[in-house]
Amino acid sequence: MMPHSIQIVTPDLCDAHPDVAVLDPMFANFGGLDAFYGPIRTIKCFEDNSLVKQAVTEPGNGAVLVVDAGGSYRCAMLGDMLAEQAVANGWAGVVMYGCVRDVDILANLPLGVQALGSHPRRSNKHGEGQRDEPVVFAGVTLKPGQWLYADNNGIILAERELPPS
C-alpha cells in the first residue's frame, strides 16, 4: 500500500473528532508533503539513527515513522538518503522528535517530514534504541497502531483511522 493521498485538514478533524489527542505545537514541516497520515510505528533512540536507517529499508505500507530522538538539537536523525529510502519503500511520513538535515532535498520528496529543527551533523550509529514500543513526547503517548494526522496546522493522534471530514 502506498502513502495516503487524501487531503486532510487537522482543524477539521479536531472539530469532527473531539476525542483526538493533539501534540504540543513544536514541530516544523520539512517534507515535500504538507499533509500526511497513517498508522504509526515507533522508534526510541538518542543521537543514534541506526534503527531509523533499518526501518526505512522495510515496507512502510503507508505508515508514519514516529521517532523519539529525545528532543536532541545536537545532530540530525534523518537526511536525504534515508528519506529517499522511506519514499521508495512506501512510508507516508516521519515525525522526528529531534532534528533532520538536507532540508532542501527533503522539501522536494513526496514524503511528510515534521521535526523540531534542522542540524547539519549526522548522528552516531551504534545500533542502540528500541522499536515498536510506546513513546512519550509533545504532551502525548504515541503507541504503534494509533493513527497520526499531520499538516501545517499541527499533528493529531487518533486511536483508529478517521473517516475523511
Side-chain angles (χ1 to χ4, degrees):
M1 176 168 62
M2 290 306 292
H4 302 94
S5 60
I6 296 172
Q7 182 61 36
I8 60 149
V9 180
T10 57
D12 293 347
L13 289 172
C14 283
D15 292 351
H17 307 279
D19 60 330
V20 299
V22 179
L23 277 68
D24 290 344
M26 58 180 61
F27 295 91
N29 213 338
F30 290 95
L33 298 179
D34 284 341
F36 60 97
Y37 73 99
I40 66 171
R41 298 192 202 156
T42 62
I43 292 176
K44 183 173 181 147
C45 52
F46 185 73
E47 298 181 1
D48 180 339
N49 74 345
S50 301
L51 294 181
V52 176
K53 182 177 182 180
Q54 177 187 1
V56 298
T57 65
E58 300 167 1
N61 298 319
V64 176
L65 185 61
V66 173
V67 182
D68 178 355
S72 174
Y73 284 99
R74 300 190 310 190
C75 66
M77 299 289 286
L78 178 81
D80 60 342
M81 291 187 291
L82 296 186
E84 287 168 355
Q85 284 201 301
V87 169
N89 288 306
W91 290 87
V94 177
V95 173
M96 180 65 66
Y97 183 55
C99 293
V100 296
R101 69 185 198 166
D102 304 313
V103 297
D104 295 329
I105 296 170
L106 296 183
N108 289 305
L109 293 176
L111 181 71
V113 179
Q114 292 216 13
L116 298 180
S118 61
H119 197 290
R121 180 174 287 128
R122 67 179 177 195
S123 77
N124 296 316
K125 289 180 181 47
H126 300 295
E128 298 172 1
Q130 296 88 40
R131 283 185 71 174
D132 302 317
E133 295 181 10
V135 295
V136 180
F137 60 82
V140 300
T141 300
L142 301 103
K143 301 175 202 153
Q146 291 174 313
W147 283 71
L148 184 141
Y149 296 80
D151 65 9
N152 287 324
N153 295 292
I155 302 173
I156 64 173
L157 188 64
E159 293 300 320
R160 66 195 183 291
E161 183 175 9
L162 302 176
S165 53

